[in-house]
Structures are given as C-alpha cells and as structure tokens.
Amino acid sequence: MLDNELLQTFVEESTELLENLEQNLLKLEKRPDDKELIKEIFRLIHTIKGSSALVGCCEITNFVHHAEDLLDQIRNNLLELNSEVINILFIIHDIIKDLINSLIIADYEIDIDRLNLTIREIQNCIDVKNISYKRDKKIALKRSEQSKVYNIKVEFNTELFQTGTDPLLLLRELNELGCFIEVYLAYKRIPDFFEIDPVLCYLTIEFVLKTKMPFEKIKDVFVFIEIDSNVKIEDVTKNYRENIDETLVDKKPGEILVDKGLLSEEDIDEALSREILTKKRKVDSQQINKVLQEQQESRSIQEKSTIKVSTDKMELLMNSVAELVISQARVKERISRKTLNDDQQLNASLQEVDKKIRFLQEEVMKARMVPIGNTFLRFRRLVRDLSRDHGKKVNLVIRGKETELDKMVIEKIVDPLKHMLRNAIDHGIELPEERTALGKVESGTITLDAYHREGYIFIEITDDGRGLDKERIRESAIKRGIISNDNLPAADEQIHELIFEPGLSTSDEITETSGRGVGMDVVKSNIEALRGSISINSMENKGTKYRLKLPLTLSIIDGMSVIVGDKHFIIPINSIIEFYQPNKSEIKSVSGKGESVRIRGEYLSLFRLSKLFSINNNVEDPINGILIVLKDDDKKITLLVDEIIGQQQAVVKSLEDNYDNVQGIAGATILGNGRVAMIIDVSSLMKIAFK
Amino acid sequence: MDNLILIVDDSKTVRASVSYTLKNAGYGVEEAVNGKDAFNILGMLSTADKRPSMIITDVNMPVMDGISLVKEIKRDNRLKFIPIIILTTESQEELKLAGKKAGAAGWLVKPFKPEQLIQLAKKFVR
Amino acid sequence: MVEKKAYQDNTMDILNQQLANIAAENQFLTFIVENEEYGVDVLTVQEIIRYKKPTVIPNTPEAVRGVINFRGEVIPIIDLRKKFGFDTKKYNRFTVIIIIEILGKIIGMIVDQVSDILSFSKEDIQETLDFSSDIDTEFISGMAKLDDRLIILIKLEKLLSFNEYKVLNNIDDDKNINNETNISNDELVKEDD
C-alpha cells in the first residue's frame, strides 16, 4: 500500500464525514438546542482533525483545529448558537470540503481569502481566554557523546499483570538503550511458595545501565507504569569508573544488602507498610448491561456488511452479463428448429441456461440499484443556499426516497436535476412579498418525487411558483428564429416544449445560476442519452412540473423482433400494448392527413415503419401486415410492420459510442446471426411520426 | 498468533494507518470499527485459540467508548491479560489516568508517528 | 451465400500482418478512392476487412451507410466516395473496409482498394493550407510524394464530424434516403465471426 492509498482512504472517509456533517448542520439549523446534534457534530470535526494529522495534511488539521475550538465553546454553552454562528459552521464545512478536494484534484484553487476571513470570524466569536489545551511538551532529545551510568530501581506494582504488561519486554527495551552493568532482583517481596498468587507481580528489580541515551529516553521506558509502580532513576555516573560502583567501598555489607533489597528484615517492614491494592470492582455490572442493550437496539451503520464497489466494476459486470446474453443467442441460432424439437434434453438444457442467465441478469441489475434518497438529500443544501442567495423562502419536500435506480443513471441525472432545481428557485418561485400579494403561502414549495411504473422510473420536480410565461417563450423563440410568425404553435404544450430548444432564454439578465439559455436543451439531451424522456406541465401562477422518464436498465431490454422489408427491428416490449390485424373496413385514409385505424371503437393514427425510416417494405396493404399498438405515456399510435418474428432479449449497444444519437432509434443490438439490428425508441419515433 | 495486534477505531483512516505501519514492521493486524465489533472479533479469534498480543483502541467512539471497552475486556477471563493501549488526543490528559485505572497498559497520543507505534508494539508484543 | 475468395485476400492478409508488426513513425496505409491515392496514419488502423453489408440506420447522411458488427462492437461504416463527393460505385471483391480508431471511436471506411504501407520522411510531406470554404480540403492534412506517386494524407478527426453533414442534409430530406441499390452481385455478404 502506498501513501497514496492512505490518502485515498482519508479522502473517502472524510468525504463521508463531511456529508454527515452537512446533514447534521441542516438539522441543527431547525433545532439549535439539540445537545446530541452538537455532540455528534463535534465528534465528526474531531475525527477529521485526527485523521488529517495522521496523514500529514497540516493545512487541514490547522483549519479544523479552529473549527473544533468553535464547537468546543458551543458545546460547553459558552457561545450562543445564533444564525450567524450556524452560517459560519456551514462555511467551515465548505472550506474543509475545498481543502480535501485540493488533495485529489490537480490545480484546484482554494479560496484563501475566505479561509482566513473565516478564521478571523471564528476568533471573533469565541473568547480566546476560554481555550485551554495543553500542548505536548516536545522533548528535545540530545544525544550525549558521553556515556552515563544510571541506577534504575523499579518496584513493579503487584497488579502489573492485570494490564497485560510484561516486565521482560520492558527489560529488553531498556537493554536496547545501552548495556547492563548490573542487574539485581529483589525477591524480598516474593512470598512463600504456597502463598504465591500467580497473577500478582512481586518483582523489584534494580538495573545499572550504561548508556549514551539521555535521561528522558530511559524515563520513557517506564512511562506507562510509573503511575502505579515505583520507579527511581538516578544518575550515578560519578560513582562508576571502569564499571564498578565505587561507593560500595564505604558501605557495610549489611547496608549494601539492604540497599540492594536482598535483606529480609527491612523487607518485611516495607511490605507491611506498603499499601496493597485491593481488587476493586471498578465497573458496575448494571452499567455494562445497559450499554450492551443500547448497542443492540441502535441501528448502527457499521452493522450491515457491505462492500463498496466502484461504478466501473459494476459497468464491467453488466457488460459481461450482456455479452453472455448475446452469446447465448448465438448458440440458439446455430441450433435448427428441427433439432430443438427432436432433442428434448437439449431443449430443456437450453431453457435452463436461459433461466439462469435471466436470474443472473436480474441480480446484477439489482446490485446496481441504489435508493435515490441520498441524492435527493444532497439537494437540501443546494436549495437552502440558492434560496438564501435569491432572497426566497423555499421548502423542499422529498418523496420516494426508497425508489431505487441504477447507480450509473443516478450519477448522470444529478446535474440535470440540479439545473431544474436552480430554475425552479431562480425563475419559478416568487419573492415572499409577491407570493403573499398573490394570496399564496410565503414559502414556496418544491417537491421531488421518484417512483416506478410500468418498467420505468419517473422523477418529478414540481414547484408552486409562477409557471412558464407562454408569451415570453413565444417571443424569444420568434426572435431567435426557432419558430416563424406564420407557423405559430397554438397549444400550450407545444410552447412549453420550446424551452428545450438550444439558445432559448426568456431571462433578461443572466443571473449566476441560470438564464444563459444553455440549460434545458442540454438537460434534455442528457436525459435522452440515457434513453429517457422529459416532459413539462405548467400553469400560470400555479406552478411547473418536470417529469423525467427513465428506463430501468440501460443494458438489456425485452424486445419484440419485427421485420420490414429485409430489415430487422426490435421494439421494447414495455411500449407495446397489443398486436392487431385489421380488416379493410377498419382502415381509414384521408389524403393530406394520413391513415388511421379503428380498434374496438377507438381511432388511432396509423404509421408505416417503412415510411418513417424510408426503407423498402414487402407489405403495402395493412391487412396483410401486422399493426403494433404502441404507447408512450398516454399517447398511442399504431405501427405497421411486415412480420413479427418473436420475443427476444436484446443487449443494447449504444450508437453514441462510435457514432451519434439518432432520432427514433434507442440503440443497436447484435442478433444471434451476428447481424446488427436497430432498437426502436418509441418516444422519439412518435415525435418523428407527428412532425 | 504471537504477534497479532487488534486496532479498534471508528475512523477508517486511523485503522488504515495503524495497519500499514504495523504490517510493514512484521506484525499481524486485525481491525474493528467499534467496541461491539471488537468483541465479535475477539470471540472468533478465541475459538480458534488465537488471541491478539495487544489491543489498541480509540477512546472517542460511538456506542461504546474506549474506556468502557477496556473495562469490559478486563472482565473477560480469556482476554484480561492482553495489554490494551488507548488512543487519546493531547487535550485529554485526564483520559490517560482514567485508562490506567480501568486497566489499560498504556496510551498513545494522536497524532502519533509510525515510530511511536512501533516502539509501543515492541513494548508489549514479543 | 457462397463466399468468394477475392484474390485481394492475399494482399489483405499480408497488410494485416504488417499492421501487427508496426513500429511506426510516419508510416501510412494507402488506399485508392476514385483513382486517387490516399493515406492514413498506420497507428490508427485496427484492421482491414472484406466488405460486409451494413445495417442501415434510418435517416442518416448518405455517406454513413450503416453499422456493422465488428468483434462485438457496433460501428458505423462511412463511404469515403460519398464523403469526398463522388458517386457511389458498385461494391465488388476489391472493396474493403478499413477499420480505424480515432478519438476513442471505432469506425470503418469503405474504399475502392487498399494499396500498401509506406513510410515517409518529414521532407516528403508537404502540409496544405486550410481552405475552410471547400469541404474537400478539410480532410487533408498534407500531401506526400513518393517517386511519381502523389498521396493525399487524411485528417481522420474530420471523418468523425457527422454533424455538419446532418445540418446540410436536413435541407433536402429526400436526397438522403439511404438506398441499398448499389450493391453488385459480386458483393460479399456472408457474415463471419
């Protein structure tokens, strides 16, 4: 693992923590008295500070330190949490995010001014005198050239083993610092054999160590035990020349023995006078039980066993499954119908394989599905900031959080969704005064909703603002030559659709967030690139609703294989209502207006695929071909094809990979015989048909 | 295992950093994300008759803080002799004492340098 | 359909082999379109294959004849004759498709005939000026002279810009019907794996 990986881990973790932080800040804004929230926020900041120091990102550590100071004051009730302070907290979040981004994005520019300004603001808020934290005393280690001799006497605490400390390892550590001239074990404390408690420590050891290391280094060895063991270190260099204790000369043997702790009389006295720690139950069993219970009850995030898989890997998996489907089709192609009919076992085996592949495909698809809730929640911050910037009051309502979407699809719709939110806040929702004047509630409401229906996913953004201004759109469109005066579309719907034309903007000034007119057409093409579609519904003064329709999966679809002339096409099953073979009386043709067919009393437009795609056909008269009734939302048409081959799964190969987007075509697929067939996009086909 | 070390910390970065340093120095490392997780892992290791030679645990963790974890471990007869090191920050002097009182063998102040970690390991792991 | 092995298969195989062993600087694969010789940077060439009947993409510019399955990928096939403004010829056994990769996209070009792989030194190549008014010269990055042969070197990125053709062709929808009338009996239609 390289330092790079460690940095990546740090960035990943911190990004998650920051997202948590933001959500918590948003909650805090509504409930500034919530102590638990403040604690949690402090903990998040604290963790980020610790981790950043660990990986050496001092810039982050230093800044977060200031943030921590601020939060410390707040949590100790020394600072009031008003809206100004909360704002600073939001800015702190943004700055930390910036700093983290600068770690991984080359040439990323950090707003230094904002950073410094924020630090000053923090310092203004807090009472600097209140902060007291001890700084670690930096011990300057100087290597002395001269060897010194130290006498180290350690009387190990009887309970030493309880902490898992092994005196032998301490000895070794000491030994590394120099060399032992003398070592004495005082076994005076060791009781009679039969009274020895094997879990207690009765050791008292005396070392004489010759070392070049400074005093602090020796002290360090005992740093953990000096609290409850007796450690005495003495510089006795002057006593030792030639490694012999010269003070011994003047002492009586008895004294020496006593000094060395080998004599028993004094020892008994000592032992009796020393306090022996009784084993106290330091933990109340009730408390422990409570904590354990809380653990089980809380839905901790780490409980779920999850693995993070990159989108690329999922993409690869999906593609592999897709290729598997193609290969399977090819195998089937090679086996003639006769063989299949004759060989029952072969048939059964193939069906087995079919089932298994389908299952695999569904599971892989499910694995890629992620609830859209997270994405929606991220928008809260955006909505808050934008409303503040524009002086509007906006309430964001989120529905359908659990609706699951393909991970890749989510990634690709985030920008379009953001853009539509911007539009809603910038243009849609009116200023509070305007709203009250109109009799509306002061706060505008934007609703985000997501749901599954008929094999598609729908995402809606609704606002209760002023709605689209038909007149201005019409004017703007005429001005830019998108429509001409004699060709005016009358229906509201058509006028609304115009906002998807490139270059159209009805805003007089270009605000920072929108109004440049490069918006909705790009949104539309982004959605269409995902084989989805977008529609608008708007009413003056009531509001606007955007509806995105996206396919459940990008890669494999269930399709109906049809033929026109000598060409194969695949039509997605989801869009097919029924097949119909009309008789002569049911077909009506009006010159200049086209054809239609009457099915059970209802008249539907009839289109010929051969005409729409300008290709040859074999069947002219609809009564000799097949009509397919197609639907897109609530619109229905019938499509004439020569023949229907049958149902098949089709792996969608995007035309855009190597070519370009084509109207009416959702993509291509490779058939069992190796040929390429086009997959029809019903939505845009209808658009072509009605043009 | 003779040189297995268990690191308990809710921060991915800290776990990764400790793991990296200790593995490079030749130790085996197991990771736990909080007290409960640590117990699960210790339980599994025990049944395989393996026990870590040292446990390093953060103090500030949700659900079960480090000091409580120390106390819990000390109550378990199979585990109580494993030396436990608590991770504190410079502003938490009092925790060092609290830790020792609970039965911790020592402490390490964050942010720490890799050498400090290795030095610590040498103190408690053969 | 019966596969006819065109005699040019040999040439193709040889060229493909050479392609595989290229260590190329300033090496070009040359081919012929309407009696003119053109060249493309050999490093962009993936393979040379026999003509395969493409699947038509509806409502696309004339020069885009459709798509084929090339090793599991769906790639567009461009008729260079049409692109350069000539009438389409009947496809026969000399007709090949050169598969190139440019800007991350794989596309195929239909040419009359492939010639050779040639090396040019910098001196042999003469850069042309950009005549942006004339569509033809948009594609040319330079001219190379070898003996008395004049080889027009092609700017491949220009082949990718389908858009200007889309715009141009929208003016007159009828002209853009992609008809399949130009295939001769010699055409090799059998799909291979």
Side-chain angles (χ1 to χ4, degrees):
Chain A
M1 179 165 119
L2 309 162
D3 271 334
N4 223 351
E5 266 188 55
L6 190 59
L7 196 68
Q8 274 296 110
T9 309
F10 167 66
V11 169
E12 260 177 51
E13 185 190 42
S14 303
T15 308
E16 260 185 67
L17 292 172
L18 280 174
E19 275 177 27
N20 271 350
L21 178 65
E22 194 175 34
Q23 291 303 321
N24 278 325
L25 285 177
L26 286 165
K27 285 188 209 161
L28 188 69
E29 210 173 12
K30 302 212 171 91
R31 313 196 299 261
D33 297 316
D34 192 332
K35 290 286 164 223
E36 284 306 311
L37 269 180
I38 297 176
K39 249 173 51 181
E40 179 64 16
I41 291 174
F42 182 88
R43 195 186 71 81
L44 288 166
I45 290 279
H46 185 75
T47 310
I48 296 179
K49 186 183 90 161
S51 306
S52 64
L54 210 58
V55 298
C57 299
C58 348
E59 223 182 9
I60 300 183
T61 315
N62 288 337
F63 178 74
V64 180
H65 197 99
H66 290 280
E68 201 184 49
D69 290 341
L70 185 67
L71 277 160
D72 202 26
Q73 291 258 302
I74 296 172
R75 106 181 143 156
N76 291 331
N77 284 324
L78 294 166
L79 181 63
E80 186 201 329
L81 204 59
N82 55 24
S83 62
E84 200 202 313
V85 174
I86 293 187
N87 240 16
I88 294 180
L89 290 175
F90 273 110
I91 297 179
I92 287 175
H93 160 276
D94 291 344
I95 295 179
I96 301 178
K97 194 163 177 201
D98 252 2
L99 288 169
I100 299 218
N101 279 339
S102 73
L103 291 174
I104 45 175
I105 303 175
D107 301 330
Y108 190 91
E109 284 213 27
I110 307 171
D111 191 341
I112 304 281
D113 293 329
R114 179 173 70 159
L115 192 138
N116 289 330
L117 184 65
T118 311
I119 294 181
R120 277 203 294 276
E121 277 184 31
I122 296 176
Q123 284 167 340
N124 281 341
C125 285
I126 62 189
D127 183 5
V128 188
K129 291 197 287 273
N130 270 331
I131 301 175
S132 60
Y133 43 79
K134 297 178 199 139
R135 296 223 174 268
D136 257 355
K137 287 180 275 256
K138 287 259 177 265
I139 302 168
L141 298 173
K142 286 177 293 179
R143 282 191 86 127
S144 55
E145 283 311 309
Q146 282 286 79
S147 282
K148 291 213 172 156
V149 180
Y150 294 95
N151 181 304
I152 305 156
K153 186 164 172 186
V154 187
E155 205 176 303
F156 290 104
N157 187 312
T158 332
E159 307 285 314
L160 184 78
F161 297 138
Q162 300 294 332
T163 59
T165 309
D166 186 348
L168 183 60
L169 294 176
L170 288 177
L171 255 78
R172 285 200 185 145
E173 203 183 332
L174 207 52
N175 201 9
E176 279 177 10
L177 297 178
C179 65
F180 290 127
I181 300 179
E182 295 163 29
V183 180
Y184 294 101
L185 167 67
Y187 44 82
K188 56 185 173 154
R189 287 164 60 205
I190 304 175
D192 210 18
F193 182 78
F194 296 102
E195 286 160 40
I196 289 181
D197 185 346
V199 301
L200 294 183
C201 179
Y202 305 102
L203 297 173
T204 301
I205 310 183
E206 191 177 334
F207 316 86
V208 177
L209 181 75
K210 181 173 173 184
T211 177
K212 286 199 172 85
M213 292 287 154
F215 180 79
E216 288 82 18
K217 268 263 171 174
I218 301 177
K219 199 160 187 297
D220 249 351
V221 173
F222 304 101
V223 63
F224 297 136
I225 67 169
E226 62 185 353
I227 296 178
D228 41 20
S229 297
N230 225 327
V231 180
K232 278 197 278 236
I233 309 177
E234 211 186 315
D235 185 339
V236 293
T237 322
K238 53 180 175 11
N239 295 342
Y240 280 77
R241 266 186 318 178
E242 319 287 340
N243 295 347
I244 296 175
D245 187 351
E246 291 169 9
T247 61
L248 289 178
V249 175
D250 301 322
K251 285 195 180 138
K252 293 195 195 121
E255 273 182 73
I256 297 173
L257 285 171
V258 165
D259 278 346
K260 298 279 181 253
L262 295 168
L263 204 62
S264 53
E265 294 175 357
E266 236 180 19
D267 293 344
I268 296 173
D269 286 343
E270 265 189 39
L272 286 173
S273 68
R274 190 185 317 137
E275 274 179 77
I276 295 175
L277 290 168
T278 53
K279 237 189 190 163
K280 282 193 286 185
R281 278 261 172 268
K282 289 167 191 156
V283 177
D284 191 301
S285 59
Q286 258 191 340
Q287 285 178 312
I288 292 298
N289 282 338
K290 181 162 178 279
V291 170
L292 288 176
Q293 202 184 21
E294 275 173 21
Q295 267 185 348
Q296 272 166 0
E297 281 170 356
S298 74
R299 302 166 297 114
S300 95
I301 315 152
Q302 288 108 335
E303 296 240 8
K304 270 192 285 220
S305 181
T306 54
I307 315 175
K308 280 200 182 187
V309 183
S310 72
T311 332
D312 289 336
K313 277 218 183 90
M314 289 310 296
E315 190 65 13
L316 192 63
L317 262 179
M318 267 312 256
N319 284 344
S320 303
V321 175
E323 298 297 332
L324 191 57
V325 172
I326 297 184
S327 305
Q328 179 209 20
R330 307 208 68 177
V331 169
K332 278 210 227 161
E333 178 81 13
R334 287 287 188 252
I335 304 173
S336 74
R337 199 145 285 279
K338 183 170 185 320
T339 322
L340 265 183
N341 282 337
D342 291 343
D343 192 342
Q344 268 313 302
Q345 287 200 321
L346 182 59
N347 206 351
S349 299
L350 280 179
Q351 296 216 21
E352 257 309 296
V353 176
D354 246 343
K355 245 174 56 182
K356 301 249 186 276
I357 293 187
R358 212 172 241 286
F359 177 72
L360 179 63
Q361 179 198 334
E362 276 169 23
E363 290 303 308
V364 172
M365 222 184 74
K366 277 196 228 155
R368 272 164 60 113
M369 303 287 263
V370 168
I372 200 173
N374 281 340
T375 312
F376 279 176
L377 282 174
R378 286 201 331 241
F379 291 152
R380 279 206 190 281
R381 180 68 199 277
L382 179 69
V383 169
R384 178 198 175 272
D385 288 344
L386 282 174
S387 354
R388 259 173 72 100
D389 290 342
H390 291 281
K392 308 212 174 144
K393 295 209 173 127
V394 178
N395 185 19
L396 181 65
V397 175
I398 295 182
R399 293 213 193 99
K401 282 202 276 256
E402 331 69 44
T403 309
E404 292 192 339
L405 267 84
D406 184 294
K407 201 170 167 191
M408 229 189 66
V409 171
I410 291 189
E411 281 177 15
K412 297 209 171 152
I413 59 168
V414 169
D415 281 338
L417 286 176
K418 276 195 192 158
H419 189 92
M420 289 184 273
L421 278 173
R422 282 198 187 101
N423 274 350
I425 297 178
D426 194 3
H427 301 305
I429 308 278
E430 313 92 326
L431 290 163
E433 312 89 68
E434 279 178 62
R435 286 182 70 90
T436 3
L438 288 167
K440 290 185 181 176
V441 179
E442 213 189 25
S443 285
T445 305
I446 298 184
T447 310
L448 278 174
D449 195 1
Y451 53 91
H452 285 262
R453 219 173 58 185
E454 299 166 348
Y456 287 97
I457 297 195
F458 292 91
I459 300 178
E460 295 179 351
I461 302 183
T462 318
D463 71 67
D464 63 353
R466 38 170 96 95
L468 293 175
D469 189 336
K470 274 189 314 216
E471 273 316 306
R472 290 179 75 180
I473 296 178
R474 211 194 323 240
E475 268 173 40
S476 191
I478 295 178
K479 216 175 2 171
R480 279 166 227 269
I482 298 173
I483 51 176
S484 58
N485 249 316
D486 27 294
N487 197 356
L488 282 176
D492 284 1
E493 272 176 18
Q494 291 175 295
I495 299 181
H496 292 156
E497 289 281 319
L498 285 173
I499 68 166
F500 291 125
E501 294 294 323
L504 197 93
S505 171
T506 55
S507 180
D508 291 328
E509 0 119 16
I510 295 178
T511 63
E512 188 188 294
T513 51
S514 46
R516 281 179 223 268
V518 291
M520 292 313 287
D521 63 315
V522 175
V523 167
K524 183 164 180 229
S525 50
N526 275 0
I527 305 285
E528 285 180 347
L530 296 170
R531 287 191 291 117
S533 60
I534 179 171
S535 64
I536 323 175
N537 218 312
S538 178
M539 256 204 338
E540 246 180 86
N541 278 332
K542 287 271 158 61
T544 311
K545 181 202 290 225
Y546 293 102
R547 198 161 77 138
L548 278 70
K549 181 176 169 193
L550 299 162
L552 262 178
T553 173
L554 299 181
S555 311
I556 305 182
I557 60 163
D558 280 318
M560 207 60 183
S561 182
V562 304
I563 291 190
V564 175
D566 57 347
K567 301 193 185 353
H568 277 255
F569 291 93
I570 308 275
I571 303 181
I573 297 261
N574 277 338
S575 309
I576 301 180
I577 301 183
E578 64 180 302
F579 302 107
Y580 196 74
Q581 221 165 1
N583 48 38
K584 226 173 176 56
S585 59
E586 292 167 325
I587 308 207
K588 293 255 178 291
S589 176
V590 183
S591 62
K593 285 239 166 170
E595 300 168 280
S596 57
V597 59
R598 191 185 76 223
I599 301 181
R600 297 186 295 273
E602 188 186 2
Y603 275 98
L604 296 172
S605 309
L606 194 160
F607 294 103
R608 296 158 182 268
L609 194 55
S610 47
K611 279 236 173 60
L612 292 178
F613 285 162
S614 312
I615 51 180
N616 297 332
N617 59 357
N618 285 334
V619 165
E620 260 308 313
D621 196 335
I623 64 172
N624 293 327
I626 304 265
L627 288 181
I628 308 182
V629 183
L630 297 172
K631 74 161 162 45
D632 176 42
D633 285 343
D634 39 2
K635 291 200 281 254
K636 282 202 273 199
I637 63 166
T638 56
L639 190 68
L640 176 65
V641 300
D642 294 354
E643 247 185 274
I644 296 187
I645 305 293
Q647 194 174 337
Q648 71 168 89
Q649 279 194 305
V651 176
V652 181
K653 295 252 175 211
S654 160
L655 277 182
E656 275 131 20
D657 282 349
N658 292 315
Y659 178 54
D660 200 358
N661 194 358
V662 179
Q663 280 289 303
I665 302 290
T669 186
I670 299 183
L671 300 171
N673 60 14
R675 299 266 316 154
V676 179
M678 294 289 141
I679 302 174
I680 294 185
D681 178 41
V682 175
S683 192
S684 56
L685 185 76
M686 287 209 200
K687 288 209 177 94
I688 299 177
F690 284 119
K691 251 202 210 136
Chain B
M1 245 208 271
D2 250 358
N3 60 355
L4 179 65
I5 300 177
L6 172 68
I7 168 73
V8 187
D9 194 314
D10 62 328
S11 162
K12 209 167 30 156
T13 310
V14 173
R15 291 199 304 273
S17 168
V18 169
S19 219
Y20 178 50
T21 306
L22 291 176
K23 278 183 179 163
N24 276 353
Y27 295 93
V29 180
E30 277 291 335
E31 300 181 19
V33 302
N34 61 33
K36 181 154 188 210
D37 195 21
F39 269 105
N40 286 340
I41 293 180
L42 287 168
M44 285 195 298
L45 290 171
S46 283
T47 49
D49 214 24
K50 293 180 183 177
R51 263 171 276 286
S53 307
M54 181 169 86
I55 300 175
I56 306 177
T57 174
D58 190 20
V59 179
N60 307 304
M61 294 184 292
V63 180
M64 189 195 242
D65 71 284
I67 305 283
S68 309
L69 176 63
V70 173
K71 292 179 184 171
E72 254 319 283
I73 292 180
K74 290 298 172 195
R75 279 165 53 97
D76 185 325
N77 281 322
R78 302 168 302 172
L79 306 173
K80 66 182 179 183
F81 290 114
I82 304 177
I84 310 175
I85 306 292
I86 54 175
L87 293 175
T88 72
T89 53
E90 62 190 33
S91 48
Q92 298 171 305
E93 285 288 323
E94 62 285 3
L95 278 179
K96 296 180 188 174
L97 284 169
K100 273 240 82 178
K101 266 188 78 180
W107 58 80
L108 190 56
V109 181
K110 291 199 276 193
F112 47 81
K113 299 205 179 64
E115 308 88 69
Q116 289 176 276
L117 192 57
I118 297 179
Q119 196 61 17
L120 193 73
K122 281 211 255 187
K123 244 202 225 306
F124 292 101
V125 181
R126 289 172 195 263
Chain C
M1 290 233 184
V2 177
E3 235 182 285
K4 294 187 196 172
K5 228 171 187 314
Y7 97 101
Q8 217 196 19
D9 267 0
N10 274 336
T11 325
M12 245 178 60
D13 289 339
I14 294 173
L15 282 174
N16 273 329
Q17 256 180 12
Q18 281 184 289
L19 278 177
N21 299 327
I22 286 283
E25 263 182 48
N26 274 344
Q27 285 200 302
F28 293 84
L29 173 71
T30 58
F31 53 88
I32 297 179
V33 176
E34 187 69 9
N35 298 322
E36 290 274 10
E37 207 168 358
Y38 296 86
V40 289
D41 185 346
V42 103
L43 289 172
T44 62
V45 181
Q46 303 289 299
E47 200 175 319
I48 305 170
I49 61 174
R50 281 167 286 158
Y51 174 77
K52 268 206 287 217
K53 183 169 156 187
T55 303
V56 173
I57 309 176
N59 300 331
T60 47
E62 267 194 274
V64 182
R65 300 218 65 87
V67 286
I68 61 168
N69 168 10
F70 176 67
R71 299 199 200 138
E73 280 240 18
V74 172
I75 67 173
I77 302 297
I78 309 201
D79 188 337
L80 282 191
R81 290 186 65 88
K82 214 53 207 175
K83 197 85 169 172
F84 293 163
F86 303 115
D87 294 322
T88 48
K89 233 164 72 145
K90 290 186 192 262
Y91 298 128
N92 61 22
R93 57 206 176 145
F94 296 119
T95 313
V96 289
I97 298 180
I98 302 176
I99 311 282
I100 56 168
E101 180 173 352
I102 182 91
L103 297 177
K105 302 199 181 214
I106 303 182
I107 67 175
M109 320 185 292
I110 304 177
V111 303
D112 294 351
Q113 227 182 315
V114 280
S115 302
D116 214 339
I117 293 178
L118 303 171
S119 299
F120 300 117
S121 60
K122 280 216 175 73
E123 299 84 61
D124 296 331
I125 303 179
Q126 188 187 337
E127 306 259 316
T128 51
L129 307 160
D130 249 286
F131 296 81
S132 44
S133 54
D134 194 344
I135 291 177
D136 278 346
T137 53
E138 238 187 277
F139 300 114
I140 302 176
S141 72
M143 313 265 253
K145 210 158 149 26
L146 193 71
D147 305 328
D148 51 351
R149 280 153 90 182
L150 197 66
I151 295 150
I152 305 170
L153 304 176
I154 295 186
K155 232 190 265 180
L156 283 170
E157 313 84 72
K158 284 301 176 180
L159 283 181
L160 282 186
S161 48
F162 305 112
N163 281 330
E164 85 271 17
Y165 272 77
K166 249 196 182 161
V167 171
L168 286 177
N169 289 338
N170 276 340
I171 297 174
D172 204 342
D173 270 47
D174 291 320
K175 285 224 183 100
N176 294 331
I177 293 165
N178 221 326
N179 286 323
E180 301 276 308
T181 52
N182 296 322
I183 323 289
S184 76
N185 286 336
D186 289 331
E187 153 207 342
L188 308 163
V189 194
K190 173 94 179 179
E191 287 296 323
D192 50 35
D193 286 34

